[in-house]
Amino acid sequence: MTEHLPGVDLGRRPDAGLVVDAARRLPRRRRRTVVAGLAVLLVLTFSARVLLGDFTITVPDFIRILSGEQIPGATFILMESKLPRALLALLVGGSFGLAGALFQSTLRNPLASPDVIGVSMGASASAVFAIVVLDAEGVPLAGAAIVGALAVAALTRWVAGTGTGQSLVLVGVGVATVLGSVIQYFFTRADEWDAHLVLRWLTGSVAQADWATLRLLGAALLVVLPAVAWVSRDMGAAELGPDTAAALGVAPRRTDLVLGLGVVLVAVGVAAAGPIAFVAFVSGPVSRALDGGRTSLVAAALVGACLTIGADYAADYLVGDVNLPVGVVTGAVGAPFLLWLLARDRTGRRAA
């Protein structure tokens, strides 16, 4: 069956230019629909995380509190707990989702997630070292996580050389395995208090969200996101392979720059909330499945944000009085969901 293209009159011989333009409008319309739907879902998820739960806040009270009015009890719970926690989940989840899509599309491999190739593990190992050996906290601890992620990414790239994305993935898996052993070693040397902090870093949690962390993370994203938008303009050509991309005028250094910005996104996200499992891994395939197999960075970021906020809500209220770290829920849900996507062959890719 031939699909009818809007704007093409089937009663007469169509002009080739009109057919091409009409064919291009279909994926663009679908992409706009997917992004709009995910944006609505994000608003609903964020609203549920902020307004519902064990202490309900009405919409009029929410607006009055944001306007500066003090409501006993509600103001403290909203401004010191619910709102910063939801905002941190939004920013970190969006960063992980965007970084995962950048890696997977640039390296043309659905396994090329920062979780898999050791970037998140590098940040965790560096943070664990800073906690156990240097007794670091706050900004120095976040800085150690960022340095660790960047160092591991540079090491992986250097060892993989100029090989294909598959080589980078294999080297990254090996590096992540070594870093896992390093983390276990330092974990055995930690005292009871440090062990608690180490576990939080390894699991990933937004429960300790505060406005100082949000300001630092927001400032970092204000610098990184415009750079991502600029360097990812030719990502459609990069998805066709390095040779084709070079023939179309895309410089190889631009590919490395895209990956470098993806590393920075993961690094600042891990520095703020720890390595929340499977968010970067799953967001890209889910957004591609919704967008008919095409890569959309905006959709991937929205999926990551929705997934993290929803998982944090479930982690907070799913099991009685137990407040689980969000990484427990994303780890439990992400792996089988990705296997289901792979089994359904819904992670295929089309040229944008």
Side-chain angles (χ1 to χ4, degrees):
M1 179 181 294
T2 302
E3 187 176 4
H4 173 65
L5 298 177
V8 177
D9 185 1
L10 298 180
R12 56 181 183 176
R13 188 173 183 177
D15 179 79
L18 291 176
V19 173
V20 172
D21 290 341
R24 287 177 174 174
R25 282 199 296 270
L26 286 175
R28 290 173 182 169
R29 182 179 303 170
R30 175 164 181 162
R31 178 165 300 179
R32 287 196 294 268
T33 303
V34 169
V35 170
L38 288 171
V40 172
L41 178 61
L42 177 60
V43 171
L44 295 176
T45 309
F46 187 88
S47 300
R49 185 68 189 92
V50 172
L51 303 178
L52 304 181
D54 52 0
F55 189 95
T56 302
I57 298 175
T58 63
V59 174
D61 284 348
F62 176 75
I63 296 174
R64 288 163 59 193
I65 292 172
L66 290 186
S67 301
E69 186 173 339
Q70 295 292 323
I71 300 177
T75 298
F76 179 82
I77 292 175
L78 176 65
M79 300 304 294
E80 300 301 326
S81 176
K82 287 193 169 190
L83 188 56
R85 185 166 178 165
L87 287 173
L88 184 59
L90 187 154
L91 295 179
V92 171
S95 299
F96 286 165
L98 177 57
L102 287 174
F103 272 78
Q104 291 164 347
S105 59
T106 303
L107 298 176
R108 307 175 68 221
N109 190 328
L111 295 177
S113 165
D115 313 59
V116 176
I117 66 174
V119 176
S120 301
M121 191 68 80
S124 298
S126 182
V128 170
F129 171 81
I131 291 172
V132 176
V133 179
L134 306 178
D135 290 329
E137 295 183 10
V139 174
L141 179 57
I146 294 174
V147 170
L150 296 175
V152 168
L155 174 65
T156 303
R157 186 59 178 168
W158 177 70
V159 174
T162 58
T164 63
Q166 187 71 16
S167 302
L168 196 65
V169 172
L170 293 175
V171 173
V173 170
V175 172
T177 303
V178 174
L179 290 173
S181 301
V182 172
I183 291 174
Q184 294 299 324
Y185 169 74
F186 284 115
F187 190 71
T188 60
R189 295 170 56 87
D191 57 29
E192 185 176 353
W193 171 252
D194 287 343
H196 175 74
L197 294 178
V198 168
L199 281 176
R200 195 180 73 195
W201 268 97
L202 296 181
T203 307
S205 172
V206 295
Q208 305 298 322
D210 55 55
W211 292 105
T213 301
L214 285 170
R215 283 192 288 270
L216 290 174
L217 179 59
L221 294 180
L222 282 177
V223 176
V224 176
L225 292 181
V228 171
W230 181 71
V231 302
S232 62
R233 292 173 301 166
D234 300 323
M235 202 176 66
E239 289 184 88
L240 300 175
D243 296 335
T244 304
L248 293 174
V250 179
R253 289 184 178 179
R254 173 158 292 193
T255 300
D256 289 337
L257 187 55
V258 170
L259 296 178
L261 291 173
V263 171
V264 174
L265 284 172
V266 173
V268 297
V270 173
I276 302 175
F278 283 108
V279 175
F281 198 17
V282 170
S283 297
V286 170
S287 64
R288 281 198 298 275
L290 294 174
D291 199 14
R294 300 173 181 86
T295 298
S296 170
L297 298 181
V298 176
L302 290 172
V303 170
C306 291
L307 176 62
T308 307
I309 296 175
D312 182 52
Y313 186 85
D316 205 5
Y317 300 111
L318 187 63
V319 182
D321 296 331
V322 179
N323 190 343
L324 298 171
V326 62
V328 173
V329 177
T330 57
V333 175
F337 188 63
L338 181 64
L339 291 175
W340 177 78
L341 284 176
L342 293 173
R344 299 266 302 186
D345 194 24
R346 296 179 66 178
T347 56
R349 184 193 313 266
R350 295 179 189 172

